[in-house]
Amino acid sequence: MSTPRRPFWILTKTGSVLPPVLEAALGVFGLVVQIATLTSGRPVEPVAYVVLVVALLLIAQGVADLVWWSRYGRRDAARQG
């Protein structure tokens, strides 16, 4: 069986679960902090919108990584080497 090619957005090479979970968790934390900042009623810095977009991208990256590795036995195939 040939090694499955990973799309460019998949960062882990072995199918490990921890890095994508950390990406998603960091993204959720950043999203919560930025939503709290935006709804606080104080003037918002433009960097807050940039951080909001980065947080959403981190969540999407982590979820995409987890989903891609969980399909078709890719994680097991990578671990067997």
Side-chain angles (χ1 to χ4, degrees), residues 16-80:
S16 63
V17 175
L18 188 58
V21 168
L22 290 176
E23 284 174 348
L26 183 63
V28 168
F29 176 73
L31 183 67
V32 168
V33 168
Q34 290 311 308
I35 289 175
T37 300
L38 295 173
T39 58
S40 68
R42 292 180 288 191
V44 178
E45 299 280 331
V47 74
Y49 295 109
V50 173
V51 173
L52 184 69
V53 170
V54 169
L56 291 171
L57 289 174
L58 275 172
I59 294 169
Q61 169 65 41
V63 170
D65 207 352
L66 287 171
V67 168
W68 191 85
W69 278 110
S70 67
R71 298 181 83 187
Y72 310 117
R74 291 175 176 147
R75 183 171 286 121
D76 293 332
R79 288 183 180 160
Q80 290 175 0

Side-chain angles (χ1 to χ4, degrees), residues 4-12 61 64-65 68-69 74:
R5 290 192 63 204
R6 293 176 293 122
F8 70 92
W9 65 84
I10 302 302
L11 297 180
T12 60
Q61 169 65 41
D65 207 352
W68 191 85
W69 278 110
R74 291 175 176 147

